[in-house]
Amino acid sequence: KTVGKAKRTRQSVIDVLRKSDCFSGIFYVLIWGDHRLSSILEVLNHFEEDKQLLNNITSMLCSASHSSEEVYSTLKSVKGLGPAYFTKILYFYTHAFDKEWNHKAYIMDQFTSKSMNLLRMESIKYDINLSQDNLKISNIINKNTGRSSDTLDNNTPYSMYENYNQDVERLVQFFQEKGNR
């Protein structure tokens, strides 16, 4: 509650990651993404209990010491993290430490996935070579509040995330070639 929304721009998160330890950095990313408090605590407790995992994640994220697929799988295994949040972590770390990473990762949550699904349907008409993956969105009911919400399927394989990232880059290139930044 002490971190104001206005101060949590993408650039401010990247700046924090560059000068913070990984534990604090992940915490900051989760706050930026408005992750539920109970899930943030679950993630942080997971890292507190498994210091070796935190050391491995730090090396993976800050030094790009493992493949993107290995990082994706490792983050996917952390209790309390779904694709919407572990891809936010990947996004921020690949942008903060871009000299170490060969490729940048992008946020894949329900909103960007729904948009990508729509763009992929239109891509053939505009001759944009996008994958034809269909990212699955699930509707879940919160046990505590009884409210339903959409979420990206937790079983989304890395291959679909890799295609998603490539599609984002193809779309950027398409619009740049058309003179639309």
Side-chain angles (χ1 to χ4, degrees):
K1 291 182 180 182
T2 60
V3 180
K5 275 254 190 212
K7 295 178 184 175
R8 291 188 282 154
T9 64
R10 287 177 191 239
Q11 188 58 53
S12 71
V13 175
I14 288 169
D15 293 343
V16 165
L17 296 185
R18 288 181 177 149
K19 59 185 175 189
S20 298
D21 62 271
C22 195
F23 185 85
S24 299
I26 289 172
F27 174 67
Y28 204 76
V29 169
L30 296 177
I31 288 173
W32 177 87
D34 281 337
H35 205 22
R36 290 184 321 273
L37 179 59
S38 61
S39 294
I40 291 174
L41 293 173
E42 193 171 36
V43 171
L44 297 178
N45 283 333
H46 191 93
F47 286 128
E48 279 289 316
E49 293 169 3
D50 191 346
K51 295 289 189 192
Q52 187 57 48
L53 175 64
L54 181 59
N55 290 338
N56 291 343
I57 293 279
T58 300
S59 175
M60 289 177 173
L61 293 173
C62 299
S63 303
S65 64
H66 291 70
S67 71
S68 298
E69 184 173 7
E70 289 174 286
V71 179
Y72 180 94
S73 296
T74 301
L75 287 171
K76 184 177 181 179
S77 72
V78 174
K79 193 172 181 177
L81 285 180
Y85 290 95
F86 66 74
T87 63
K88 284 176 178 76
I89 293 168
L90 278 167
Y91 168 84
F92 280 110
Y93 275 93
T94 61
H95 284 74
F97 297 96
D98 57 342
K99 289 178 178 46
E100 285 79 9
W101 286 93
N102 293 331
H103 300 284
K104 292 181 179 171
Y106 298 95
I107 297 169
M108 186 176 68
D109 59 15
Q110 65 160 319
F111 306 106
T112 59
S113 296
K114 287 176 183 177
S115 297
M116 185 61 77
N117 285 344
L118 291 171
L119 287 165
R120 285 173 172 158
M121 287 189 300
E122 293 293 312
S123 68
I124 296 168
K125 183 181 356 176
Y126 295 99
D127 197 30
I128 308 170
N129 184 25
L130 301 183
S131 72
Q132 292 306 303
D133 290 343
N134 188 24
L135 297 165
K136 294 182 181 132
I137 310 295
S138 304
N139 189 278
I140 60 167
I141 297 180
N142 184 315
K143 295 174 189 173
N144 297 331
T145 64
R147 289 187 284 180
S148 69
S149 62
D150 290 335
T151 185
L152 186 61
D153 188 329
N154 275 339
N155 296 317
T156 304
Y158 176 76
S159 60
M160 289 181 90
Y161 182 60
E162 184 176 40
N163 287 341
Y164 173 85
N165 285 320
Q166 291 170 359
D167 287 351
V168 168
E169 291 175 359
R170 285 185 190 112
L171 286 166
V172 167
Q173 182 180 359
F174 173 80
F175 284 109
Q176 285 175 340
E177 288 171 359
K178 300 293 181 198
N180 183 349
R181 301 262 174 213

mmCIF file of all heavy atoms in Angstrom, residues 3-32 62 89 92-93 95-97:
data_model
loop_
_atom_site.group_PDB
_atom_site.id
_atom_site.type_symbol
_atom_site.label_atom_id
_atom_site.label_comp_id
_atom_site.label_asym_id
_atom_site.label_seq_id
_atom_site.Cartn_x
_atom_site.Cartn_y
_atom_site.Cartn_z
ATOM 1 N N VAL A 3 3.374 1.843 -1.986
ATOM 2 C CA VAL A 3 3.885 2.157 -3.313
ATOM 3 C C VAL A 3 2.736 2.660 -4.159
ATOM 4 O O VAL A 3 1.783 1.941 -4.405
ATOM 5 C CB VAL A 3 4.518 0.907 -3.966
ATOM 6 C CG1 VAL A 3 5.051 1.252 -5.348
ATOM 7 C CG2 VAL A 3 5.618 0.346 -3.093
ATOM 8 N N GLY A 4 2.805 3.937 -4.555
ATOM 9 C CA GLY A 4 1.735 4.535 -5.343
ATOM 10 C C GLY A 4 1.712 4.010 -6.764
ATOM 11 O O GLY A 4 2.748 3.737 -7.345
ATOM 12 N N LYS A 5 0.522 3.874 -7.322
ATOM 13 C CA LYS A 5 0.366 3.402 -8.694
ATOM 14 C C LYS A 5 1.169 4.251 -9.671
ATOM 15 O O LYS A 5 1.797 3.732 -10.568
ATOM 16 C CB LYS A 5 -1.107 3.429 -9.095
ATOM 17 C CG LYS A 5 -1.860 2.214 -8.707
ATOM 18 C CD LYS A 5 -2.098 1.404 -9.936
ATOM 19 C CE LYS A 5 -3.067 0.295 -9.601
ATOM 20 N NZ LYS A 5 -2.806 -0.862 -10.388
ATOM 21 N N ALA A 6 1.125 5.553 -9.503
ATOM 22 C CA ALA A 6 1.790 6.449 -10.450
ATOM 23 C C ALA A 6 3.294 6.211 -10.494
ATOM 24 O O ALA A 6 3.930 6.435 -11.506
ATOM 25 C CB ALA A 6 1.510 7.899 -10.081
ATOM 26 N N LYS A 7 3.870 5.742 -9.415
ATOM 27 C CA LYS A 7 5.305 5.511 -9.348
ATOM 28 C C LYS A 7 5.694 4.153 -9.929
ATOM 29 O O LYS A 7 6.861 3.860 -10.064
ATOM 30 C CB LYS A 7 5.797 5.608 -7.905
ATOM 31 C CG LYS A 7 5.647 6.992 -7.333
ATOM 32 C CD LYS A 7 6.099 7.028 -5.910
ATOM 33 C CE LYS A 7 5.840 8.402 -5.314
ATOM 34 N NZ LYS A 7 6.148 8.445 -3.907
ATOM 35 N N ARG A 8 4.705 3.349 -10.277
ATOM 36 C CA ARG A 8 5.000 2.002 -10.752
ATOM 37 C C ARG A 8 4.863 1.894 -12.268
ATOM 38 O O ARG A 8 4.140 1.075 -12.776
ATOM 39 C CB ARG A 8 4.100 0.984 -10.060
ATOM 40 C CG ARG A 8 4.426 0.836 -8.588
ATOM 41 C CD ARG A 8 3.688 -0.293 -7.951
ATOM 42 N NE ARG A 8 2.313 0.122 -7.690
ATOM 43 C CZ ARG A 8 1.294 -0.715 -7.615
ATOM 44 N NH1 ARG A 8 1.460 -1.987 -7.769
ATOM 45 N NH2 ARG A 8 0.080 -0.258 -7.374
ATOM 46 N N THR A 9 5.583 2.745 -12.981
ATOM 47 C CA THR A 9 5.608 2.624 -14.426
ATOM 48 C C THR A 9 6.486 1.428 -14.789
ATOM 49 O O THR A 9 7.259 0.936 -13.957
ATOM 50 C CB THR A 9 6.199 3.886 -15.075
ATOM 51 O OG1 THR A 9 7.565 3.997 -14.664
ATOM 52 C CG2 THR A 9 5.409 5.131 -14.695
ATOM 53 N N ARG A 10 6.383 0.983 -16.019
ATOM 54 C CA ARG A 10 7.234 -0.128 -16.458
ATOM 55 C C ARG A 10 8.702 0.239 -16.286
ATOM 56 O O ARG A 10 9.494 -0.579 -15.833
ATOM 57 C CB ARG A 10 6.936 -0.490 -17.908
ATOM 58 C CG ARG A 10 5.612 -1.192 -18.059
ATOM 59 C CD ARG A 10 5.295 -1.485 -19.520
ATOM 60 N NE ARG A 10 3.919 -1.918 -19.627
ATOM 61 C CZ ARG A 10 3.541 -3.082 -20.109
ATOM 62 N NH1 ARG A 10 4.438 -3.923 -20.561
ATOM 63 N NH2 ARG A 10 2.279 -3.399 -20.172
ATOM 64 N N GLN A 11 9.058 1.468 -16.648
ATOM 65 C CA GLN A 11 10.454 1.879 -16.524
ATOM 66 C C GLN A 11 10.895 1.907 -15.067
ATOM 67 O O GLN A 11 12.018 1.528 -14.759
ATOM 68 C CB GLN A 11 10.693 3.245 -17.178
ATOM 69 C CG GLN A 11 12.162 3.613 -17.238
ATOM 70 C CD GLN A 11 13.002 2.593 -17.988
ATOM 71 O OE1 GLN A 11 12.703 2.242 -19.123
ATOM 72 N NE2 GLN A 11 14.065 2.094 -17.360
ATOM 73 N N SER A 12 10.031 2.327 -14.156
ATOM 74 C CA SER A 12 10.426 2.348 -12.741
ATOM 75 C C SER A 12 10.641 0.928 -12.218
ATOM 76 O O SER A 12 11.542 0.692 -11.406
ATOM 77 C CB SER A 12 9.404 3.101 -11.882
ATOM 78 O OG SER A 12 8.204 2.375 -11.750
ATOM 79 N N VAL A 13 9.852 -0.032 -12.704
ATOM 80 C CA VAL A 13 10.053 -1.430 -12.300
ATOM 81 C C VAL A 13 11.398 -1.918 -12.830
ATOM 82 O O VAL A 13 12.178 -2.541 -12.098
ATOM 83 C CB VAL A 13 8.898 -2.336 -12.780
ATOM 84 C CG1 VAL A 13 9.186 -3.805 -12.468
ATOM 85 C CG2 VAL A 13 7.586 -1.913 -12.137
ATOM 86 N N ILE A 14 11.696 -1.628 -14.080
ATOM 87 C CA ILE A 14 12.984 -2.034 -14.672
ATOM 88 C C ILE A 14 14.136 -1.424 -13.884
ATOM 89 O O ILE A 14 15.119 -2.100 -13.575
ATOM 90 C CB ILE A 14 13.029 -1.633 -16.168
ATOM 91 C CG1 ILE A 14 12.090 -2.555 -16.956
ATOM 92 C CG2 ILE A 14 14.449 -1.677 -16.717
ATOM 93 C CD1 ILE A 14 11.832 -2.123 -18.386
ATOM 94 N N ASP A 15 14.023 -0.157 -13.512
ATOM 95 C CA ASP A 15 15.069 0.503 -12.724
ATOM 96 C C ASP A 15 15.255 -0.170 -11.367
ATOM 97 O O ASP A 15 16.387 -0.354 -10.906
ATOM 98 C CB ASP A 15 14.743 1.987 -12.536
ATOM 99 C CG ASP A 15 14.801 2.770 -13.843
ATOM 100 O OD1 ASP A 15 15.399 2.281 -14.832
ATOM 101 O OD2 ASP A 15 14.213 3.874 -13.882
ATOM 102 N N VAL A 16 14.158 -0.554 -10.721
ATOM 103 C CA VAL A 16 14.240 -1.239 -9.425
ATOM 104 C C VAL A 16 14.940 -2.587 -9.591
ATOM 105 O O VAL A 16 15.791 -2.960 -8.783
ATOM 106 C CB VAL A 16 12.834 -1.423 -8.799
ATOM 107 C CG1 VAL A 16 12.848 -2.419 -7.661
ATOM 108 C CG2 VAL A 16 12.295 -0.078 -8.322
ATOM 109 N N LEU A 17 14.604 -3.328 -10.636
ATOM 110 C CA LEU A 17 15.201 -4.653 -10.841
ATOM 111 C C LEU A 17 16.704 -4.567 -11.023
ATOM 112 O O LEU A 17 17.441 -5.434 -10.548
ATOM 113 C CB LEU A 17 14.582 -5.355 -12.051
ATOM 114 C CG LEU A 17 13.101 -5.689 -11.980
ATOM 115 C CD1 LEU A 17 12.677 -6.494 -13.196
ATOM 116 C CD2 LEU A 17 12.745 -6.428 -10.717
ATOM 117 N N ARG A 18 17.159 -3.531 -11.696
ATOM 118 C CA ARG A 18 18.595 -3.394 -11.968
ATOM 119 C C ARG A 18 19.405 -3.133 -10.704
ATOM 120 O O ARG A 18 20.600 -3.400 -10.679
ATOM 121 C CB ARG A 18 18.827 -2.262 -12.965
ATOM 122 C CG ARG A 18 18.392 -2.628 -14.364
ATOM 123 C CD ARG A 18 18.649 -1.513 -15.332
ATOM 124 N NE ARG A 18 18.284 -1.925 -16.685
ATOM 125 C CZ ARG A 18 17.837 -1.105 -17.612
ATOM 126 N NH1 ARG A 18 17.709 0.200 -17.343
ATOM 127 N NH2 ARG A 18 17.528 -1.551 -18.802
ATOM 128 N N LYS A 19 18.761 -2.616 -9.664
ATOM 129 C CA LYS A 19 19.527 -2.295 -8.449
ATOM 130 C C LYS A 19 19.080 -3.060 -7.208
ATOM 131 O O LYS A 19 19.551 -2.791 -6.117
ATOM 132 C CB LYS A 19 19.499 -0.786 -8.195
ATOM 133 C CG LYS A 19 18.133 -0.198 -8.020
ATOM 134 C CD LYS A 19 18.195 1.312 -7.895
ATOM 135 C CE LYS A 19 16.787 1.874 -7.854
ATOM 136 N NZ LYS A 19 16.738 3.295 -7.948
ATOM 137 N N SER A 20 18.185 -4.042 -7.381
ATOM 138 C CA SER A 20 17.672 -4.797 -6.236
ATOM 139 C C SER A 20 18.052 -6.263 -6.337
ATOM 140 O O SER A 20 18.376 -6.756 -7.408
ATOM 141 C CB SER A 20 16.139 -4.719 -6.178
ATOM 142 O OG SER A 20 15.716 -3.403 -6.010
ATOM 143 N N ASP A 21 17.963 -6.944 -5.201
ATOM 144 C CA ASP A 21 18.126 -8.394 -5.240
ATOM 145 C C ASP A 21 16.888 -9.003 -5.895
ATOM 146 O O ASP A 21 15.846 -8.350 -6.008
ATOM 147 C CB ASP A 21 18.342 -8.954 -3.831
ATOM 148 C CG ASP A 21 17.150 -8.700 -2.930
ATOM 149 O OD1 ASP A 21 17.103 -7.627 -2.272
ATOM 150 O OD2 ASP A 21 16.254 -9.567 -2.896
ATOM 151 N N CYS A 22 16.992 -10.240 -6.335
ATOM 152 C CA CYS A 22 15.920 -10.878 -7.097
ATOM 153 C C CYS A 22 14.646 -11.051 -6.268
ATOM 154 O O CYS A 22 13.543 -10.880 -6.789
ATOM 155 C CB CYS A 22 16.415 -12.229 -7.624
ATOM 156 S SG CYS A 22 15.382 -12.925 -8.907
ATOM 157 N N PHE A 23 14.775 -11.372 -4.999
ATOM 158 C CA PHE A 23 13.618 -11.541 -4.121
ATOM 159 C C PHE A 23 12.787 -10.259 -4.100
ATOM 160 O O PHE A 23 11.582 -10.275 -4.326
ATOM 161 C CB PHE A 23 14.092 -11.906 -2.710
ATOM 162 C CG PHE A 23 12.999 -12.211 -1.736
ATOM 163 C CD1 PHE A 23 12.451 -13.491 -1.659
ATOM 164 C CD2 PHE A 23 12.530 -11.235 -0.873
ATOM 165 C CE1 PHE A 23 11.444 -13.786 -0.751
ATOM 166 C CE2 PHE A 23 11.512 -11.519 0.041
ATOM 167 C CZ PHE A 23 10.975 -12.798 0.103
ATOM 168 N N SER A 24 13.448 -9.122 -3.883
ATOM 169 C CA SER A 24 12.762 -7.824 -3.868
ATOM 170 C C SER A 24 12.223 -7.476 -5.251
ATOM 171 O O SER A 24 11.137 -6.908 -5.379
ATOM 172 C CB SER A 24 13.705 -6.712 -3.409
ATOM 173 O OG SER A 24 14.162 -6.971 -2.103
ATOM 174 N N GLY A 25 12.991 -7.818 -6.276
ATOM 175 C CA GLY A 25 12.564 -7.536 -7.644
ATOM 176 C C GLY A 25 11.285 -8.266 -8.008
ATOM 177 O O GLY A 25 10.362 -7.680 -8.580
ATOM 178 N N ILE A 26 11.222 -9.552 -7.677
ATOM 179 C CA ILE A 26 10.011 -10.329 -7.964
ATOM 180 C C ILE A 26 8.837 -9.758 -7.179
ATOM 181 O O ILE A 26 7.736 -9.612 -7.714
ATOM 182 C CB ILE A 26 10.237 -11.824 -7.668
ATOM 183 C CG1 ILE A 26 11.185 -12.407 -8.725
ATOM 184 C CG2 ILE A 26 8.922 -12.585 -7.624
ATOM 185 C CD1 ILE A 26 11.639 -13.819 -8.460
ATOM 186 N N PHE A 27 9.070 -9.404 -5.935
ATOM 187 C CA PHE A 27 8.031 -8.779 -5.119
ATOM 188 C C PHE A 27 7.499 -7.525 -5.803
ATOM 189 O O PHE A 27 6.293 -7.318 -5.920
ATOM 190 C CB PHE A 27 8.586 -8.467 -3.726
ATOM 191 C CG PHE A 27 7.647 -7.702 -2.839
ATOM 192 C CD1 PHE A 27 6.479 -8.274 -2.380
ATOM 193 C CD2 PHE A 27 7.949 -6.404 -2.456
ATOM 194 C CE1 PHE A 27 5.605 -7.572 -1.555
ATOM 195 C CE2 PHE A 27 7.088 -5.691 -1.624
ATOM 196 C CZ PHE A 27 5.916 -6.275 -1.176
ATOM 197 N N TYR A 28 8.405 -6.695 -6.309
ATOM 198 C CA TYR A 28 8.011 -5.444 -6.952
ATOM 199 C C TYR A 28 7.206 -5.706 -8.222
ATOM 200 O O TYR A 28 6.222 -5.019 -8.497
ATOM 201 C CB TYR A 28 9.254 -4.601 -7.251
ATOM 202 C CG TYR A 28 8.963 -3.127 -7.358
ATOM 203 C CD1 TYR A 28 8.739 -2.357 -6.228
ATOM 204 C CD2 TYR A 28 8.899 -2.502 -8.591
ATOM 205 C CE1 TYR A 28 8.462 -1.002 -6.321
ATOM 206 C CE2 TYR A 28 8.630 -1.153 -8.707
ATOM 207 C CZ TYR A 28 8.406 -0.410 -7.556
ATOM 208 O OH TYR A 28 8.128 0.929 -7.665
ATOM 209 N N VAL A 29 7.621 -6.708 -9.009
ATOM 210 C CA VAL A 29 6.877 -7.057 -10.223
ATOM 211 C C VAL A 29 5.463 -7.504 -9.867
ATOM 212 O O VAL A 29 4.488 -7.105 -10.511
ATOM 213 C CB VAL A 29 7.602 -8.156 -11.030
ATOM 214 C CG1 VAL A 29 6.714 -8.706 -12.148
ATOM 215 C CG2 VAL A 29 8.921 -7.639 -11.602
ATOM 216 N N LEU A 30 5.343 -8.322 -8.832
ATOM 217 C CA LEU A 30 4.024 -8.816 -8.431
ATOM 218 C C LEU A 30 3.133 -7.682 -7.935
ATOM 219 O O LEU A 30 1.932 -7.668 -8.198
ATOM 220 C CB LEU A 30 4.156 -9.909 -7.375
ATOM 221 C CG LEU A 30 4.878 -11.181 -7.853
ATOM 222 C CD1 LEU A 30 5.029 -12.174 -6.709
ATOM 223 C CD2 LEU A 30 4.189 -11.811 -9.040
ATOM 224 N N ILE A 31 3.724 -6.718 -7.236
ATOM 225 C CA ILE A 31 2.958 -5.543 -6.803
ATOM 226 C C ILE A 31 2.517 -4.742 -8.029
ATOM 227 O O ILE A 31 1.372 -4.332 -8.130
ATOM 228 C CB ILE A 31 3.796 -4.652 -5.851
ATOM 229 C CG1 ILE A 31 3.960 -5.330 -4.503
ATOM 230 C CG2 ILE A 31 3.133 -3.296 -5.674
ATOM 231 C CD1 ILE A 31 4.908 -4.596 -3.585
ATOM 232 N N TRP A 32 3.452 -4.534 -8.960
ATOM 233 C CA TRP A 32 3.121 -3.793 -10.176
ATOM 234 C C TRP A 32 1.937 -4.446 -10.895
ATOM 235 O O TRP A 32 1.043 -3.761 -11.378
ATOM 236 C CB TRP A 32 4.333 -3.742 -11.117
ATOM 237 C CG TRP A 32 4.041 -3.051 -12.411
ATOM 238 C CD1 TRP A 32 4.126 -1.708 -12.654
ATOM 239 C CD2 TRP A 32 3.580 -3.642 -13.624
ATOM 240 N NE1 TRP A 32 3.757 -1.442 -13.955
ATOM 241 C CE2 TRP A 32 3.417 -2.608 -14.578
ATOM 242 C CE3 TRP A 32 3.293 -4.941 -14.021
ATOM 243 C CZ2 TRP A 32 2.985 -2.840 -15.874
ATOM 244 C CZ3 TRP A 32 2.857 -5.184 -15.316
ATOM 245 C CH2 TRP A 32 2.708 -4.132 -16.222
ATOM 246 N N CYS A 62 18.894 -12.800 -13.944
ATOM 247 C CA CYS A 62 19.832 -11.681 -14.028
ATOM 248 C C CYS A 62 21.015 -11.947 -14.959
ATOM 249 O O CYS A 62 21.602 -11.006 -15.490
ATOM 250 C CB CYS A 62 20.339 -11.319 -12.640
ATOM 251 S SG CYS A 62 19.028 -10.790 -11.527
ATOM 252 N N ILE A 89 7.214 -11.466 -14.799
ATOM 253 C CA ILE A 89 8.583 -11.553 -14.271
ATOM 254 C C ILE A 89 9.566 -11.695 -15.432
ATOM 255 O O ILE A 89 10.580 -10.989 -15.494
ATOM 256 C CB ILE A 89 8.702 -12.716 -13.265
ATOM 257 C CG1 ILE A 89 7.875 -12.426 -12.014
ATOM 258 C CG2 ILE A 89 10.166 -12.983 -12.918
ATOM 259 C CD1 ILE A 89 7.685 -13.610 -11.074
ATOM 260 N N PHE A 92 9.893 -8.315 -17.395
ATOM 261 C CA PHE A 92 10.689 -7.273 -16.754
ATOM 262 C C PHE A 92 12.167 -7.629 -16.679
ATOM 263 O O PHE A 92 13.024 -6.776 -16.904
ATOM 264 C CB PHE A 92 10.125 -6.930 -15.374
ATOM 265 C CG PHE A 92 8.945 -6.014 -15.460
ATOM 266 C CD1 PHE A 92 7.676 -6.461 -15.145
ATOM 267 C CD2 PHE A 92 9.094 -4.705 -15.873
ATOM 268 C CE1 PHE A 92 6.579 -5.617 -15.235
ATOM 269 C CE2 PHE A 92 8.007 -3.841 -15.976
ATOM 270 C CZ PHE A 92 6.740 -4.305 -15.660
ATOM 271 N N TYR A 93 12.489 -8.869 -16.378
ATOM 272 C CA TYR A 93 13.906 -9.240 -16.287
ATOM 273 C C TYR A 93 14.586 -9.270 -17.650
ATOM 274 O O TYR A 93 15.751 -8.888 -17.766
ATOM 275 C CB TYR A 93 14.090 -10.552 -15.517
ATOM 276 C CG TYR A 93 14.132 -10.296 -14.034
ATOM 277 C CD1 TYR A 93 12.993 -10.361 -13.262
ATOM 278 C CD2 TYR A 93 15.326 -9.946 -13.403
ATOM 279 C CE1 TYR A 93 13.029 -10.092 -11.899
ATOM 280 C CE2 TYR A 93 15.378 -9.675 -12.038
ATOM 281 C CZ TYR A 93 14.223 -9.749 -11.299
ATOM 282 O OH TYR A 93 14.274 -9.471 -9.949
ATOM 283 N N HIS A 95 13.872 -7.348 -20.063
ATOM 284 C CA HIS A 95 14.025 -5.944 -20.457
ATOM 285 C C HIS A 95 15.046 -5.231 -19.576
ATOM 286 O O HIS A 95 15.802 -4.399 -20.068
ATOM 287 C CB HIS A 95 12.664 -5.238 -20.424
ATOM 288 C CG HIS A 95 11.803 -5.590 -21.589
ATOM 289 N ND1 HIS A 95 11.169 -6.805 -21.718
ATOM 290 C CD2 HIS A 95 11.483 -4.891 -22.698
ATOM 291 C CE1 HIS A 95 10.492 -6.845 -22.853
ATOM 292 N NE2 HIS A 95 10.663 -5.693 -23.464
ATOM 293 N N ALA A 96 15.088 -5.565 -18.298
ATOM 294 C CA ALA A 96 16.051 -4.924 -17.384
ATOM 295 C C ALA A 96 17.478 -5.385 -17.673
ATOM 296 O O ALA A 96 18.429 -4.611 -17.544
ATOM 297 C CB ALA A 96 15.687 -5.221 -15.934
ATOM 298 N N PHE A 97 17.630 -6.650 -18.053
ATOM 299 C CA PHE A 97 18.951 -7.228 -18.306
ATOM 300 C C PHE A 97 19.052 -7.637 -19.779
ATOM 301 O O PHE A 97 19.474 -8.740 -20.112
ATOM 302 C CB PHE A 97 19.204 -8.409 -17.364
ATOM 303 C CG PHE A 97 19.218 -8.002 -15.920
ATOM 304 C CD1 PHE A 97 18.077 -8.130 -15.140
ATOM 305 C CD2 PHE A 97 20.354 -7.444 -15.347
ATOM 306 C CE1 PHE A 97 18.073 -7.729 -13.803
ATOM 307 C CE2 PHE A 97 20.361 -7.039 -14.019
ATOM 308 C CZ PHE A 97 19.214 -7.181 -13.241
#
